[in-house]
Amino acid sequence: GLAATDDDACYRAMDWLHEVTDDLEKQVFDEVANLLNLEVDLLFFDTTSTYFELEEPDGPVARDDKGLPLTKGHKTAADSGEPEDQAGFRTYGKSKDSRDDLPQIVIGMAVTRDGIPVRVWSWPGNTGDQKLIRQVKDDMRDWTLSKIVWVTDRGFSSERNRRYLRQGAGAYIVGEKLRSGSPEVKAALSRQGRYGEIAGNMRVKEVKISDTERFVICHNPEAAERDQHIREQLVAQLTMLIEDTDKLSEFKRGELRGRIADKPGLNRYLRTTPAGKLRIDSAKIKTEENLDGKYLLRCSDPHLSAEDIALGYKQLLEVERGWRDMKQIIDLRPVYHRLEERIRAHVILCWLALLLIRIIETTTGATWLAVRRELDRLHLGTFTGPTGLFRQVTALTKPQKDLLAKLDVPTPKQIIALEPTPR
């Protein structure tokens, strides 16, 4: 309904959005919680990154422990005798888009079990995952929510993070790296016991290892078949690569060994004899067979069943779906802004768009792509003739009427404008 606007007005709106982000997120959450009757018991958290087509990263600036630029008069880490935390916002880091060659920023998102994104964060591109979850927990604590069980993947499973998430009434479900070699993983995999069948092609087995944590082994038979097939292909490829290498010189074998080392999938099944010969690692294959289709979960909540723990972790896919929609449907990138506060505002706008999409999907029971495809068939036609001009909306189909009714959107008038020709 804007009669006119310009770039400057939009930039001023983004600057205002950046200033009121904290209050905006809290009020939006309250409104959505009432609208959808959200039960925030499980919160899923994950991060992604988005890169920028820049020749040089941003210059480093002093930042607080939340990754925000320090303002004048703000007490810095150096005042306490600690090293100063300096980083550019768009800077190099571990890219989740496989673009380590370009500057990036890190984005985090908290999502409910229904897939509703309740909050978003932005950090400099070199920020590691391990310390982020502690800030996220503190920020959500300010919302005075009831008990929250945090669900995160293996990237956040440090002892310090788990201890921090247990503080207060908090709890967690976190993935554990099966190949970490930790005593807990070895103990969990060595325990005998029967798996229980649950929905979604999954089997679970809880093992007793600790008095403070629960460990649940999940097994997916379909994933196990897939893992076996991939391993057989890798072993076959590796066998061809090292065939007849005993005849090569030690230097040539070293070259081949170096090339294989750059391919983790192949390198996992390769061993080198004391004499420098290349062989298939049969013991490693047997070890990997024991891990096919499995993943290990830690949980600090004593009241959740093993099935709830497994299904709760499986819902972490909702965050991945959110990242996918934000990048492929909402077009998180390319980001055309240069100033840090504008980039942060851009991320907030993308989060609001994703939130609207999830509200539409939850309310209508249909996917956003299906809703958009149906409503895109609604058109406004302009008709002219000797007697004047009129604009008419195409007749609404029943699916369109049903969608608008569920979303509580008024149906458009059939005749939008009527302009007779002056006599």
Side-chain angles (χ1 to χ4, degrees):
L2 295 178
T5 189
D6 55 31
D7 291 349
D8 290 336
C10 293
Y11 284 132
R12 285 195 298 271
M14 291 185 72
D15 293 341
W16 170 83
L17 185 66
H18 174 66
E19 293 174 3
V20 302
T21 293
D22 291 342
D23 292 336
L24 171 78
E25 289 177 328
K26 180 64 171 71
Q27 292 186 34
V28 166
F29 172 78
D30 290 341
E31 292 291 336
V32 174
N34 291 330
L35 176 67
L36 302 179
N37 296 318
L38 290 185
E39 295 181 3
V40 184
D41 51 355
L42 291 185
L43 266 184
F44 303 84
F45 176 74
D46 198 10
T47 62
T48 191
S49 59
T50 188
Y51 58 90
F52 297 77
E53 305 281 354
L54 299 177
E55 294 183 359
E56 296 292 336
D58 294 338
V61 298
R63 296 182 178 275
D64 63 15
D65 56 358
K66 293 187 175 184
L68 297 171
L70 292 173
T71 56
K72 290 183 178 181
H74 193 293
K75 186 177 180 180
T76 66
D79 297 331
S80 305
E82 299 178 5
E84 187 83 3
D85 187 10
Q86 297 227 1
F89 192 51
R90 299 175 295 177
T91 192
Y92 296 112
K94 179 60 179 175
S95 173
K96 298 192 177 183
D97 295 314
S98 300
R99 293 306 306 262
D100 291 347
D101 58 319
L102 292 174
Q104 66 174 22
I105 64 170
V106 174
I107 305 170
M109 186 162 56
V111 176
T112 69
R113 67 163 71 215
D114 297 318
I116 306 298
V118 295
R119 195 163 183 175
V120 72
W121 293 262
S122 299
W123 294 280
N126 63 352
T127 308
D129 280 350
Q130 283 294 340
K131 75 175 187 178
L132 300 184
I133 189 66
R134 298 191 290 274
Q135 177 197 330
V136 169
K137 181 179 185 293
D138 289 342
D139 289 346
M140 295 303 294
R141 182 185 58 200
D142 295 338
W143 287 11
T144 62
L145 299 173
S146 57
K147 178 181 176 180
I148 294 176
V149 178
W150 289 93
V151 186
T152 65
D153 67 10
R154 297 170 297 179
F156 303 94
S157 181
S158 69
E159 183 179 354
R160 183 179 177 186
N161 281 345
R162 296 195 302 270
R163 188 169 59 250
Y164 201 85
L165 292 176
R166 280 199 305 265
Q167 293 178 3
Y172 58 76
I173 301 172
V174 296
E176 183 69 24
K177 296 178 181 178
L178 282 176
R179 298 179 180 86
S180 66
S182 69
E184 293 96 338
V185 171
K186 292 180 179 178
L189 293 176
S190 64
R191 297 293 169 86
Q192 299 297 317
R194 297 181 61 181
Y195 284 95
E197 301 284 345
I198 65 173
N201 192 32
M202 187 181 298
R203 305 159 66 217
V204 296
K205 176 176 67 175
E206 183 170 358
V207 293
K208 177 70 174 177
I209 296 176
S210 166
D211 293 331
T212 58
E213 290 183 305
R214 301 167 61 195
F215 290 79
V216 175
I217 300 176
C218 303
H219 179 253
N220 185 325
E222 288 184 359
E225 292 181 7
R226 185 165 59 249
D227 291 344
Q228 180 183 357
H229 179 66
I230 292 174
R231 183 176 56 256
E232 290 172 351
Q233 288 183 317
L234 289 172
V235 171
Q237 183 181 353
L238 181 60
T239 301
M240 291 180 59
L241 286 174
I242 66 175
E243 191 175 12
D244 297 329
T245 54
D246 290 358
K247 302 175 183 178
L248 299 177
S249 66
E250 186 176 345
F251 177 78
K252 288 292 186 181
R253 283 200 302 269
E255 278 189 334
L256 178 60
R257 177 74 182 87
R259 291 199 298 271
I260 295 175
D262 290 334
K263 301 175 181 178
L266 294 176
N267 191 53
R268 180 179 297 166
Y269 305 106
L270 179 68
R271 68 178 179 89
T272 306
T273 68
K277 304 294 180 65
L278 303 181
R279 296 289 185 268
I280 299 295
D281 193 340
S282 300
K284 186 64 176 179
I285 292 176
K286 188 174 182 180
T287 300
E288 289 295 312
E289 286 176 350
N290 189 41
L291 303 180
D292 285 351
K294 294 179 181 177
Y295 55 92
L296 178 63
L297 305 178
R298 290 178 183 251
C299 178
S300 64
D301 191 312
H303 305 295
L304 291 175
S305 67
E307 180 177 352
D308 288 339
I309 293 172
L311 295 178
Y313 185 80
K314 191 174 182 181
Q315 287 176 301
L316 192 59
L317 294 174
E318 284 294 342
V319 190
E320 298 178 11
R321 185 168 75 100
W323 292 135
R324 187 167 58 249
D325 288 353
M326 193 177 279
K327 291 183 177 183
Q328 297 178 2
I329 296 178
I330 301 173
D331 292 338
L332 174 65
R333 66 164 308 277
V335 184
Y336 297 105
H337 304 290
R338 176 178 54 85
L339 300 177
E340 178 173 336
E341 57 268 25
R342 299 260 172 86
I343 297 173
R344 289 180 179 273
H346 171 81
V347 173
I348 292 294
L349 287 169
C350 291
W351 162 67
L352 290 172
L354 180 63
L355 178 63
L356 287 173
I357 284 177
R358 292 293 180 262
I359 291 173
I360 290 170
E361 291 179 333
T362 303
T363 306
T364 62
T367 66
W368 165 244
L369 292 178
V371 172
R372 188 177 64 180
R373 183 170 57 249
E374 186 62 45
L375 293 181
D376 271 346
R377 296 171 180 154
L378 194 61
H379 296 289
L380 177 67
T382 301
F383 302 88
T384 58
T387 58
L389 172 150
F390 69 95
R391 293 186 173 89
Q392 179 175 330
V393 177
T394 54
L396 269 67
T397 63
K398 187 180 185 306
Q400 290 171 347
K401 291 179 181 178
D402 292 342
L403 286 172
L404 294 176
K406 289 178 180 178
L407 296 171
D408 198 22
V409 175
T411 55
K413 298 178 180 179
Q414 187 172 11
I415 302 298
I416 300 298
L418 187 61
E419 302 173 8
T421 302
R423 293 185 178 273

